[in-house]
Amino acid sequence: MDKIEGKPFGQPANDIEKQWLLDRLKTLSVREAYQLAAMMLTTGRLREVSGKEGDELLLAVLKLDRKETAESINRLLSLLDYEVLCPAGSYEQLGKYYLRYEAELPEAAIPYADLEQIGFRYEEQHPGVFIGDCFVVLPSRAPKQIYDGTNLDKVWEMDWSLRLRLATPAVPKGVWLCLPDHAATEADGRLGEIALALRELKAASIQECDLLEVRCSIPGLSILPDDYEDLEDLIRDGNDLGFLLEEQGQGMPDFMERFTAALEYEGCHRLKEALDIAENLNCYDLMQADGIELYGKEELKKLGVFQDSTLQDCIDAAGFGEALLEQRGYRLNAAETTYIRRNDRKFQYLRTQPKQGWGMTMK
């Protein structure tokens, strides 16, 4: 029998797993709903929760056993592997989509093309399914098993930054929009997150929408009603945060650990401030807590302690290292995994003004 943490998969899932799954299903964006529908249709997974809301959704999630819950979490983490093409709800539309956005054929040539045949050929090369007026391209390989039943607290969703629930008079309950939206940066007519949400809301622009709720993928960051007067400004910052998460600080080693430690160090809870910190991570020095003993030994070695036989094995290297780090301006984060301090590099304020205590160089 399959097992998680040495326990049978068939056991009831724990509350944390259930809550994660429920929150994710309740905040699916319009685009993710198409992706999920394609995944359900082709794999049969998560059909138990299909079309359910409120108490019905809660009951469906509670009925899942541990194996089903773990599989569902991994399936939701793999939704990004499903590419949504829209409008492309028929072979003819799919052919037109291909000519416009991938083959980049001049618009004047489209009336002379056999769009349906092109759509058929596209489907042969990129297997997928039609969902509404979209064509969802299926993943070419099995989804990665990111969640192993023990690491949910370490599962970091890098594919989104903000989730916004927007509403209009036509759709007062609202729909979710997930950022970043790459189509918004390409501006080539493709329907991405924002365009799909606006279409569902029967709105022509973001200005017609009201913001009902915001979720952020970074724990501790929150958006208050008076943080942003302009919804487009919030979307712009959400996109920027999303691109930063995707790029991982342009390949910076331990980017997320450094970023979250810096946010905690500065007591940062606001998005604009977090973006400034992300752009200035070179202004922080980090040291892993599990290396504190080695650090202490190296510093003792510099002092010649190990050459004095009287002192050998009589000094707590870890305690000395910890005291020395504190003296040099380091702080231990709440998780007790990382020591961090500000260094003497100049902090560049790109979106905010200096705050009391911020941008202070080490003494």
Side-chain angles (χ1 to χ4, degrees), residues 243-253 255-256 278-279 281:
F243 300 143
L244 280 167
L245 295 178
E246 288 177 350
E247 295 166 1
Q248 292 287 283
Q250 296 184 340
M252 176 182 290
F255 168 78
M256 282 310 304
E279 298 283 2
L281 290 182

Side-chain angles (χ1 to χ4, degrees), residues 110-316:
I110 291 179
Y112 303 98
D114 187 341
L115 300 179
E116 188 171 23
Q117 183 61 31
I118 294 172
F120 276 120
R121 289 181 179 177
Y122 188 91
E123 183 192 34
E124 289 176 354
Q125 298 169 4
H126 307 85
V129 291
F130 292 103
I131 305 289
D133 63 348
C134 296
F135 181 76
V136 183
V137 181
L138 303 179
S140 58
R141 46 190 177 180
K144 293 181 181 178
Q145 300 301 298
I146 299 173
Y147 178 52
D148 64 9
T150 66
N151 61 341
L152 193 56
D153 60 330
K154 296 181 177 63
V155 170
W156 204 282
E157 295 182 87
M158 298 299 177
D159 60 324
W160 69 279
S161 54
L162 298 184
R163 293 181 182 274
L164 314 179
R165 186 159 68 97
L166 306 178
T168 58
V171 188
K173 292 176 62 176
V175 300
W176 286 92
L177 162 66
C178 182
L179 299 175
D181 179 11
H182 293 275
T185 62
E186 294 168 1
D188 63 359
R190 304 189 196 205
L191 296 188
E193 283 279 354
I194 295 173
L196 286 170
L198 289 176
R199 190 180 63 162
E200 195 78 9
L201 291 166
K202 299 177 174 58
S205 67
I206 286 295
Q207 286 82 359
E208 299 177 30
C209 304
D210 294 319
L211 178 63
L212 301 183
E213 191 176 351
V214 185
R215 302 280 183 96
C216 183
S217 66
I218 307 294
L221 288 187
S222 58
I223 311 295
L224 298 180
D226 58 350
D227 284 348
Y228 289 89
E229 295 182 1
D230 188 344
L231 187 53
E232 285 191 339
D233 190 22
L234 173 59
I235 289 175
R236 188 178 304 110
D237 281 356
N239 273 332
D240 287 347
L241 177 61
F243 300 143
L244 280 167
L245 295 178
E246 288 177 350
E247 295 166 1
Q248 292 287 283
Q250 296 184 340
M252 176 182 290
D254 303 316
F255 168 78
M256 282 310 304
E257 184 175 12
R258 184 177 293 271
F259 184 31
T260 54
L263 292 177
E264 181 183 329
Y265 179 87
E266 300 289 9
C268 173
H269 302 287
R270 295 290 175 265
L271 178 55
K272 284 188 180 295
E273 296 167 358
L275 287 168
D276 266 356
I277 290 173
E279 298 283 2
N280 287 274
L281 290 182
N282 62 333
C283 294
Y284 300 89
D285 297 326
L286 262 68
M287 177 171 289
Q288 300 299 320
D290 58 9
I292 191 69
E293 184 175 3
L294 178 60
Y295 173 75
K297 287 181 178 179
E298 290 176 347
E299 293 299 318
L300 288 170
K301 185 178 180 179
K302 292 177 183 178
L303 296 173
V305 168
F306 297 130
Q307 298 176 7
D308 189 333
S309 60
T310 304
L311 298 178
Q312 284 188 15
D313 302 322
C314 294
I315 297 179
D316 178 4

Side-chain angles (χ1 to χ4, degrees), residues 18-67:
K18 297 288 190 185
Q19 191 59 55
W20 187 98
L21 185 57
L22 187 62
D23 286 344
R24 196 69 167 79
L25 289 168
K26 288 168 61 178
T27 59
L28 288 172
S29 71
V30 175
R31 176 169 160 270
E32 289 172 328
Y34 283 109
Q35 294 170 318
L36 181 59
M39 187 266 287
M40 288 180 178
L41 183 64
T42 56
T43 68
R45 304 296 185 186
L46 278 167
R47 283 187 175 179
E48 301 87 349
V49 302
S50 178
K52 293 181 172 61
E53 296 181 358
D55 291 342
E56 284 190 349
L57 176 60
L58 174 60
L59 184 60
V61 170
L62 290 175
K63 286 182 177 179
L64 299 176
D65 65 25
R66 188 154 193 156
K67 180 179 180 181

